[in-house]
């Protein structure tokens, strides 16, 4: 039995790297600094290790051969999921390039709202260490932050020491939209977060009203959604007074039509505050289970985020057309490759076309896919790299045990070589 | 395997060879002396009268790292105009302003380049820079590690830590981030912007730290020298782009008091305030100062007309310039108490007075600096223009009448404000070989690169002589990387993978005591997870590390 310290997690997206994990053969136990997201993800036991074809156990070579056959005969394969480490994503891109596939990260439906806003007007953002040391005012829009990342407050806001704040418990936390479900946002000196609740559907209007007020314009109405304008005015004033205000949102949680416009308004509020003479930054939440990794690698290898295709031998990007689910629904794709090395419950969608699943060991299916190859998890079964949600920091994932499971990269490279 | 290149006209300034016809022999990736008569030549390339130079080296080009990737994703419309299909041996990708990694490697190699250096590696983002550069084929690469707005250094300076302590921290960082040099961007300014300062002059204090850019420059330049890092402190000066910043640049030269310093993209830092538009060329003064101060080297950061994107660590200045973004979208980031970045799409226009004069100022600097060993050919890719404009730039330098024809088409007021038309100098092939090969290898501290002598790595480019230098330098006949033929007639022939150049100055291991505490208290990752291991650069089976010596260091 060994104990491994300073273990980084690829699961929570916020790059916690202080886990202490006990390793006993193939079994892992999070001894310290676990959370509701990370602990089960690390402790999940290895179940299936053998590849299958239509549910029947086969050798890795046979499974790889069958996958290559299916891809060779395909006119338009789509690769979904795209949840793996940097090397896994590199191999995925190589296979897609060779095979003319669509590459579509499973988080893109949410991330799209950010990309559309960013590619239209840009943004001013910050990263975790800046929040930890500078942020004196945090506005959380439309997300229950402690469910998203259970240790966010503990690690980045109620940290004991900060370089530029005399007392971190004096930070002001305000929720707009969804309120907090627990007490993580209550400061160590027992100050509760201010909550201005409204429904998701009202957020576009509420955020637009907030921008109006930040710009110094007035509104004749007294209420927007369920929120009084005077309360919004108070937020606008505080944002403009803060030394280092931060506005955070999770694009995935803004599940209403044209949420990209709300994201864009949030980003423009940040710019407006900076224009008005004070510093303010945005902080998009996202990037769990390799979402950010997929976009980064796809970005540097093709210039586009991870909803694109190689069907014409060159990269093409379209956040709407290359939605793999829609393509499958419309009969525009004839093979699905599903890559998900982090989460065994993130199974592929039910499809009528042949499915090749490169998934974390333990994945269970209602209908057995044509090919299933269980792979190791980056950061548990092999070393690797994964991106944190703030897009700047890539963490070095450790190998914790000797499970013998192949990596995503090994499997996808093997398929590409047989093609 | 013995390869012979027969009959070429060799320009190898590192070995004092200037246009001499001589054969080159290659064995095991390196150039060797003429072998004995019995030695069997396995492969001969008859290149009679063709021009032979070492592979070109770009010492300042943004090819890897987070800000570049943001720039890529910011501009899908730019990529759509330049989609690159895969071939049997090459991967698909996109250009143009900020090309994808594979396309970057192929296009550099197809112009005869065999090495490129990313000049703005944020320590906390170094892992990404190396991962991106690992996907740049053929080229050797390396990075300059950015310091000067990182809170750790500024805290040390405020606490008046001695030079030795700063040296240890600099050495530790360059090793942790696997760098080959040290860069400073708007010294202290990126930090100051986080405290809401919107500008920072050379002698202005960071409002929190009570430290000035001049002090930071001096301290880091001293560290680089004392650690024996061959590449001088790589300086992106204060006040980028501001009319009148020539004063800042001249004061910075004086401020380092004779220490080696490399001023990068000097064109952006050479502006006066004369004339009707209060914007004028400071090229003559810069050139005079550089000619006089032998401790100073520079690269130009030439601008070219057309669409590009500016990608910089200097988010203070990028923010200030955001109104110029074309198309109108831009990104600024504060990053990890370490640095920042800013991305602005930009369209330089020849009928815009300022842009036209920027073009002329860059060329004036090229032509007025005397010593070709201290000036380097860059566009600060992609900030001044994409690197693919180098052949055009070489023609501008080598062909006075072409240059003047171009000048005559620009904004008329800009023409009046430049002395360019009266400068007769034309660069020679030997000088181009110094700027882009011998000099670049020397100043980055590369051993056995940028030269064609016995024992040097066989990075070789063969061109067909052509009076149209743009044509000549656009499409080499052959490019060899480590002795392997990688480009033929300007097209990729074989895809290989280059090495990562690093330096490893010594430091006192006790430096980690305080760093470990700092990381645990204030940072968001453990110190142990911050350091980049050699495995990370080599475990894919393609990458390798080449450690270059430090010299004359006190440590």
């Amino acid at each position: 039995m060994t104990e491994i310290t300073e273990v980084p997690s690829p699961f929570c997206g916020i790059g916690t790297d202080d886990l202490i994990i006990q390793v006993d053969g193939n079994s892992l136990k999070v001894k310290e600094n676990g959370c509701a997201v990370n602990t089960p993800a690390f402790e999940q036991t290895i179940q299936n290790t053998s590849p299958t074809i239509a549910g029947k156990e086969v050798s890795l070579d046979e499974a790889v051969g069958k996958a290559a056959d299916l891809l060779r005969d395909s006119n338009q394969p789509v690769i979904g999921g795209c949840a793996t480490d940097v090397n896994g994503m590199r191999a995925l891109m190589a296979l897609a390039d060779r095979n003319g596939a669509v590459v579509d990260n499973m988080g893109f439906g949410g991330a799209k709202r950010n990309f559309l806003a960013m590619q239209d007007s840009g943004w001013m953002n910050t990263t975790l260490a800046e929040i930890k040391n500078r942020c004196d005012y945090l506005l959380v829009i439309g997300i229950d932050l402690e469910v998203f990342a259970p240790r966010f407050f503990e690690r980045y806001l109620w940290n004991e020491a900060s370089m530029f704040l005399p007392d971190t418990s004096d930070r002001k936390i305000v929720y707009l939209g969804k309120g907090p479900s627990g007490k993580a946002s209550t400061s160590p000196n027992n100050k509760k977060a201010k909550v201005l609740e409204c429904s998701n559907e009202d957020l576009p209007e509420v955020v637009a009203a907030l921008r109006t007020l930040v710009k110094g314009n007035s509104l004749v109405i007294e209420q927007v959604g369920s929120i009084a304008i005077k309360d919004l005015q108070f937020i606008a004033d505080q944002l403009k007074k803060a030394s280092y205000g931060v506005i955070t949102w999770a694009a995935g949680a803004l599940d209403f039509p044209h949420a990209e416009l709300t994201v864009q308004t949030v980003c423009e509020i940040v710019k407006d505050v900076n224009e008005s003479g004070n510093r303010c930054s945005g902080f998009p939440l996202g990037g769990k289970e390799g979402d950010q990794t997929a976009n980064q690698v796809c970005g540097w290898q093709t210039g586009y985020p991870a909803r694109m295709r190689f069907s014409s031998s060159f990269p093409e990007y379209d956040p709407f057309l290359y939605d793999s689910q829609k393509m499958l629904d419309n009969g525009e794709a004839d093979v699905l490759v599903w890559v998900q090395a982090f989460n065994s419950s993130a199974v592929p969608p039910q499809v009528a076309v042949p499915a090749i699943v490169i998934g974390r060991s333990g994945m269970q299916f209602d209908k057995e896919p044509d090919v299933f190859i269980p792979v190791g998890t980056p950061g548990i079964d092999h070393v690797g790299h994964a991106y944190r949600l703030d897009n700047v920091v890539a963490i070095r994932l450790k190998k914790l045990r000797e499970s013998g499971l192949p990596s995503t990269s090994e499997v996808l490279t093997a398929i590409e070589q047989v093609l | 395997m013995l390869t012979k290149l027969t009959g070429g006209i060799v320009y190898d300034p590192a070995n004092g060879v200037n246009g001499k016809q001589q054969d080159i022999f290659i064995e095991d990736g390196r150039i060797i002396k003429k072998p004995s008569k019995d030695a069997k030549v396995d492969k001969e390339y008859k290149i009679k009268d063709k021009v032979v130079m070492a592979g070109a080296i770009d010492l300042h080009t943004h090819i890897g790292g987070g800000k570049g990737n943001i720039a890529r994703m910011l501009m899908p419309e730019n990529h759509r105009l330049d989609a690159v299909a895969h071939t049997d041996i090459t991967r698909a990708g996109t250009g143009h302003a900020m090309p994808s990694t594979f396309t970057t490697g192929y296009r550099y190699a197809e112009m005869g380049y065999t090495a490129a250096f990313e000049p703005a590696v944020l320590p906390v983002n170094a892992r990404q820079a190396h991962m991106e550069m690992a996907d740049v084929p053929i080229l050797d690469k390396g990075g300059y590690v950015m310091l000067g707005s990182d809170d750790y250094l500024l805290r040390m300076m405020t606490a008046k830590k001695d030079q030795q302590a700063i040296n240890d921290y600099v050495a530790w960082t360059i090793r942790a981030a696997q760098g080959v040099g040290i860069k400073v961007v708007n010294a202290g300014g990126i930090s100051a912007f986080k405290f809401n300062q919107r500008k920072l002059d050379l002698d202005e204090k960071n409002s929190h730290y009570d430290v000035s850019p001049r002090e930071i420059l001096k301290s880091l330049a001293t560290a680089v020298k004392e650690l024996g890092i061959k590449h001088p402190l790589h300086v992106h000066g204060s006040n980028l782009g501001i009319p009148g910043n020539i004063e800042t640049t001249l004061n910075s030269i004086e401020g380092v008091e004779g220490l080696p310093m490399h001023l990068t993209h000097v064109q952006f830092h050479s502006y006066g305030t004369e004339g009707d538009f209060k914007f004028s060329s400071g090229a003559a003064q810069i050139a005079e100062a550089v000619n006089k101060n032998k401790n100073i080297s520079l690269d130009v950061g030439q601008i070219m007309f057309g669409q590009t994107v500016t990608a910089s660590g200097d988010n203070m200045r990028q923010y200030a310039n955001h109104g110029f973004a074309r198309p109108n979208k831009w990104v600024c980031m504060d990053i990890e108490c370490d640095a920042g970045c800013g991305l602005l799409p930009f369209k330089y226009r020849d009928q815009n007075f300022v842009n036209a004069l920027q073009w002329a100022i860059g060329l004036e600097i090229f032509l007025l600096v005397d010593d070709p060993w201290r000036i380097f050919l860059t566009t600060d890719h992609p900030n001044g223009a994409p690197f693919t404009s180098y052949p055009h730039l070489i023609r501008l330098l080598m062909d006075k009448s072409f240059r003047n024809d171009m000048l005559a088409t620009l904004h008329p007021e800009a023409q009046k404000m430049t002395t360019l038309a009266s400068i007769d100098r034309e660069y020679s092939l030997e000088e181009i070989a110094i700027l882009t090969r011998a000099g670049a290898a020397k100043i980055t501290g590369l051993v056995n690169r940028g030269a064609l002598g016995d024992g040097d790595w066989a990075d070789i480019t063969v061109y067909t002589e052509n009076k149209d230098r743009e044509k000549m330098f656009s499409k080499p006949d052959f490019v060899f990387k480590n002795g392997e033929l990688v480009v033929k007639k300007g097209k990729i022939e074989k895809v290989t993978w280059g090495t990562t150049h690093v330096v490893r100055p010594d430091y006192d291991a006790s430096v980690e005591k305080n760093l470990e505490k700092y990381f645990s208290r204030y940072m968001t990752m453990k110190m142990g997870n911050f350091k980049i291991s050699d495995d990370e650069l080599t475990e894919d089976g393609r990458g390798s590390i080449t450690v270059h010596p430090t010299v004359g260091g006190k440590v």
Side-chain angles (χ1 to χ4, degrees):
Chain A
M1 200 181 305
T2 52
E3 198 168 83
I4 304 179
T5 60
E6 298 193 358
V7 177
S9 165
F11 303 110
C12 61
I14 62 169
T16 46
D17 72 340
D18 57 354
L19 279 75
I20 297 177
I21 293 184
Q22 196 179 42
V23 184
D24 186 3
N26 275 342
S27 113
L28 305 180
K29 182 105 191 105
V30 177
K31 300 297 283 183
E32 279 178 47
N33 298 327
C35 70
V37 171
N38 287 332
T39 304
F42 275 104
E43 293 185 350
Q44 181 186 317
T45 55
I46 294 180
Q47 294 166 23
N48 36 14
T49 55
S50 173
T52 59
I53 293 179
K56 273 176 60 184
E57 290 195 6
V58 295
S59 70
L60 181 59
D61 283 351
E62 287 174 277
V64 162
K66 175 72 178 169
D69 288 344
L70 289 171
L71 287 171
R72 209 179 289 115
D73 294 340
S74 167
N75 288 316
Q76 183 54 72
V78 294
I79 308 184
C82 304
T84 180
D85 64 334
V86 167
N87 276 343
M89 197 59 203
R90 281 171 164 152
L92 188 154
M93 296 299 292
L95 177 65
D97 187 358
R98 167 74 73 89
N99 204 227
V102 165
V103 173
D104 183 25
N105 170 242
M106 60 187 287
F108 204 84
K112 174 181 77 181
R113 301 170 186 140
N114 285 345
F115 281 114
L116 287 172
M118 189 266 250
Q119 290 168 343
D120 190 54
S121 49
W123 56 26
M124 287 183 80
N125 286 347
T126 193
T127 67
L128 287 168
E130 303 290 358
I131 292 179
K132 182 174 176 179
N133 289 287
R134 291 179 206 272
C135 172
D136 56 346
Y137 186 87
L138 178 69
L139 176 60
V140 184
I141 297 184
I143 176 88
D144 184 359
L145 183 46
E146 66 201 80
V147 171
F148 178 87
R151 296 183 66 205
F152 193 92
F153 284 94
E154 168 221 320
R155 272 177 70 89
Y156 305 121
L157 290 155
W158 310 136
N159 42 299
E160 222 169 275
S162 127
M163 282 192 274
F164 313 112
L165 301 171
D167 184 352
T168 57
S169 53
D170 288 342
R171 301 185 204 250
K172 293 193 178 74
I173 313 290
V174 178
Y175 281 80
L176 186 60
K178 207 174 178 56
S181 57
K183 291 185 178 144
S185 60
T186 302
S187 77
N189 61 8
N190 251 329
K191 214 170 55 192
K192 278 196 178 149
K194 185 178 174 69
V195 182
L196 298 181
E197 257 179 308
C198 72
S199 68
N200 254 355
E201 289 65 35
D202 284 338
L203 269 178
E205 213 177 339
V206 169
V207 169
L210 179 62
R211 184 175 185 212
T212 306
L213 301 173
V214 166
K215 285 176 79 78
N217 297 323
S218 55
L219 286 164
V220 289
I221 49 169
E222 285 175 2
Q223 185 160 326
V224 55
S226 49
I227 297 172
I229 293 295
K230 67 171 173 38
D231 289 338
L232 272 187
Q233 182 69 56
F234 186 68
I235 295 184
D237 295 344
Q238 283 195 319
L239 260 180
K240 286 161 83 173
K241 260 188 250 160
S243 297
Y244 198 90
V246 174
I247 308 182
T248 190
W249 72 94
L254 303 178
D255 200 9
F256 47 82
H258 294 295
E260 66 273 13
L261 297 175
T262 301
V263 172
Q264 184 167 43
T265 308
V266 171
C267 297
E268 294 300 302
I269 289 174
V270 170
K271 291 185 191 171
D272 293 335
V273 175
N274 281 281
E275 281 298 283
S276 79
N278 259 6
R279 286 308 316 275
C280 182
S281 294
F283 189 76
L285 299 161
K288 286 188 178 191
E289 291 178 0
D291 289 354
Q292 211 70 274
T293 306
N295 287 315
Q296 286 277 21
V297 177
C298 192
W300 76 62
Q301 292 201 350
T302 70
Y304 301 127
R307 180 171 280 174
M308 50 78 61
R309 67 170 196 175
F310 287 102
S311 314
S312 315
S313 305
F314 52 80
E316 291 174 288
Y317 164 67
D318 192 303
F320 301 98
L321 290 180
Y322 311 140
D323 177 336
S324 55
Q325 185 65 56
K326 277 192 190 146
M327 291 184 73
L328 288 162
D329 292 346
N330 294 343
E332 294 168 27
D334 56 7
V335 170
L336 167 68
V337 182
W338 183 256
V339 178
Q340 176 41 286
F342 291 116
N343 184 351
S344 56
S345 25
V347 292
Q350 289 285 356
V351 289
V353 300
I356 300 161
V357 178
I358 315 298
R360 181 171 181 175
S361 165
M363 209 172 257
Q364 302 288 331
F365 309 95
D366 290 341
K367 181 190 158 208
E368 289 295 335
D370 296 70
V371 179
F372 171 50
I373 303 178
V375 288
T377 305
I380 295 179
D381 299 301
H382 59 84
V383 295
H385 292 101
Y387 275 85
R388 236 167 53 177
L389 80 172
D390 52 7
N391 217 32
V392 169
V393 178
I395 47 178
R396 171 64 167 171
L397 302 173
K398 294 183 181 182
K399 177 177 180 169
L400 307 180
R401 67 182 174 200
E402 202 64 59
S403 67
L405 285 164
S407 67
T408 311
S409 161
E410 285 162 347
V411 170
L412 292 176
T413 304
I415 294 173
E416 193 207 336
Q417 278 167 357
V418 179
L419 265 182
Chain B
M1 169 155 156
L2 182 63
T3 305
K4 184 184 181 192
L5 312 185
T6 311
I9 310 292
V10 176
Y11 291 84
D12 180 21
N15 291 297
V17 178
N18 178 17
K20 189 176 153 204
Q21 192 151 40
Q22 60 184 43
D23 300 338
I24 290 177
F25 296 90
I26 305 167
E27 193 163 45
D28 297 332
R30 296 201 189 228
I31 294 166
I32 58 167
K33 279 185 204 153
K34 189 175 179 179
S36 66
K37 270 186 197 155
D38 332 328
K40 181 177 161 286
V41 172
D42 298 286
K43 176 87 189 163
E44 184 182 9
Y45 294 87
K46 291 184 177 159
I47 54 167
K48 192 168 174 335
D49 297 334
K50 291 189 188 290
V51 172
V52 181
M53 295 183 183
I57 298 167
D58 193 343
L59 58 51
H60 187 109
T61 173
H62 297 281
I63 55 167
K67 65 181 173 331
N69 220 27
I70 298 170
R72 289 188 186 103
M73 289 198 251
L74 184 62
M75 301 177 71
E77 71 282 358
N78 187 257
H79 301 310
R80 284 192 186 108
L81 304 173
D82 192 6
V84 181
H86 69 214
T87 69
D88 288 345
I89 56 167
T90 60
R91 291 283 302 275
T94 54
H96 127 283
M98 189 71 204
S100 59
T101 49
F102 297 117
T103 303
T104 298
Y106 306 143
R107 286 187 174 170
Y108 258 117
E110 286 172 349
M111 294 193 312
Y113 276 73
T114 52
F117 291 85
E118 164 59 51
V121 177
L122 282 54
V124 76
N125 185 244
R127 204 162 254 130
Q128 171 162 2
H130 288 298
M131 290 194 294
E132 286 190 29
M133 289 193 283
D135 282 346
V136 173
I138 300 172
L139 302 184
D140 287 355
K141 49 255 167 173
Y144 312 143
V145 177
M146 236 169 94
L147 290 172
S149 274
D150 52 311
D151 286 293
Y152 195 82
L153 177 75
L154 297 173
R155 284 160 70 89
M156 286 179 93
M157 292 186 67
T158 302
K160 307 276 182 232
K161 296 281 187 196
D162 63 18
Q163 187 66 42
Q164 186 58 48
I166 287 171
N167 294 356
D168 285 337
Y169 169 61
V170 170
W172 180 87
T173 307
I174 202 171
R175 293 184 70 140
Q178 301 273 14
V180 72
I182 295 290
K183 163 99 175 285
V184 58
V185 173
N186 186 356
I190 304 167
S191 163
F193 185 51
K194 295 172 189 174
F195 295 106
N196 203 28
Q197 284 171 281
R198 301 294 170 110
K199 62 178 250 314
L200 195 69
D201 279 325
L202 192 63
D203 292 307
E204 201 174 342
K205 304 270 188 183
N206 177 302
S207 62
H208 180 80
Y209 287 109
D210 199 34
V211 172
S212 71
R214 184 192 294 265
E215 291 161 338
I216 295 168
L217 289 184
K218 180 82 191 298
S219 172
L220 287 175
T222 304
V224 168
K225 171 139 196 277
E226 292 187 353
L227 291 168
I229 297 168
K230 271 203 178 171
H231 187 52
L233 180 65
H234 197 94
V235 176
H236 160 140
S238 310
N239 290 332
L240 179 143
I242 299 178
N245 64 11
I246 176 77
E247 290 303 322
T248 314
T249 309
L250 296 172
N251 287 336
S252 302
I253 292 174
E254 171 225 296
V256 290
E257 298 169 14
L259 290 163
M261 176 168 71
H262 179 88
L263 294 171
T264 192
H265 42 70
V266 165
Q267 180 275 129
F268 292 109
H269 303 269
S270 301
Y271 305 146
T273 53
E274 288 161 26
D276 292 346
F277 296 96
K278 306 290 175 223
F279 181 75
S280 58
S281 171
Q285 288 157 276
I286 288 290
E288 188 190 347
V290 171
N291 290 339
K292 202 169 72 190
N293 294 281
K294 310 289 182 207
N295 58 313
I296 302 297
S297 58
L298 64 99
D299 65 85
V300 172
Q302 177 67 32
I303 70 125
M304 296 290 182
F305 303 113
Q307 178 72 55
T308 191
V309 57
T310 64
S312 173
D314 192 348
N315 60 352
M316 173 188 265
R317 294 302 311 146
Q318 290 291 76
Y319 178 75
N321 283 327
H322 71 75
F324 297 112
R326 295 289 181 280
N328 182 15
K329 53 180 175 180
W330 49 278
V331 170
C332 275
M333 279 187 81
D334 295 333
I335 296 174
E336 286 298 279
C337 300
D338 197 34
C341 73
L343 301 309
L344 262 72
F346 205 94
K347 195 166 187 178
Y348 294 100
R349 289 167 298 156
D350 57 2
Q351 297 311 312
N352 170 293
F353 167 75
V354 171
N355 296 164
L357 194 54
Q358 285 179 303
W359 180 89
I361 291 169
L363 293 175
E364 286 178 9
I365 294 171
F366 269 117
L367 298 167
L368 295 174
V369 169
D370 296 334
D371 182 359
W373 291 89
R374 291 192 288 123
I375 184 167
F376 303 94
L377 187 139
T378 67
T379 55
D380 186 18
H381 163 81
N383 292 308
F387 65 82
T388 39
S389 57
Y390 285 167
H392 180 79
L393 174 54
I394 290 172
R395 185 171 183 199
L396 289 169
L397 298 178
M398 297 189 73
D399 184 342
K400 185 192 167 196
S401 69
F402 175 68
R403 182 165 73 223
N404 285 344
D405 288 349
M406 298 303 288
L407 176 64
T409 67
L410 306 188
H411 191 288
E413 295 301 321
Q415 292 183 47
K416 288 184 204 157
M417 293 292 287
T418 174
T419 58
L420 194 58
S422 66
I423 304 175
D424 290 330
R425 183 173 173 190
E426 291 180 330
Y427 270 76
S428 65
L429 283 174
E430 184 193 24
E431 285 176 318
I432 293 295
I434 295 171
L435 262 66
T436 57
R437 277 89 170 164
K442 188 177 168 204
I443 200 133
T444 40
L446 304 185
V447 178
N448 295 127
R449 300 278 177 185
L452 299 174
D454 179 28
D456 291 327
W457 285 100
D459 297 349
I460 303 169
T461 304
V462 178
Y463 303 100
T464 298
E465 172 70 64
N466 188 330
K467 280 215 172 64
D468 181 338
R469 299 307 189 186
E470 185 170 347
K471 279 203 179 121
M472 172 175 166
F473 281 94
S474 296
K475 201 176 165 187
D477 297 74
F478 302 107
V479 180
F480 299 86
K481 180 76 188 76
N482 287 7
E484 290 192 84
L485 182 69
V486 290
V487 171
K488 196 173 164 183
K489 291 186 183 154
K491 288 284 160 221
I492 296 295
E493 178 79 5
K494 181 175 185 191
V495 176
T496 63
W497 298 91
T499 192
T500 299
H501 296 291
V502 302
V503 291
R504 300 210 161 144
D506 290 329
Y507 59 85
D508 183 339
S510 67
V511 70
E512 291 203 340
K513 267 195 225 154
N514 283 331
L515 278 162
E516 192 160 17
K517 268 188 251 165
Y518 176 81
F519 272 87
S520 290
R521 273 171 86 82
Y522 301 125
M523 294 292 101
T524 52
M525 66 204 300
K526 298 285 186 190
M527 185 188 77
N529 288 327
F530 176 84
K531 295 194 276 186
I532 299 172
S533 69
D534 289 358
D535 289 351
E536 295 182 59
L537 275 67
T538 60
E539 70 195 3
D540 63 1
R542 303 189 312 214
S544 62
I545 295 173
T546 302
V547 184
H548 292 275
T550 51
V551 284
K554 276 211 298 198
V555 180

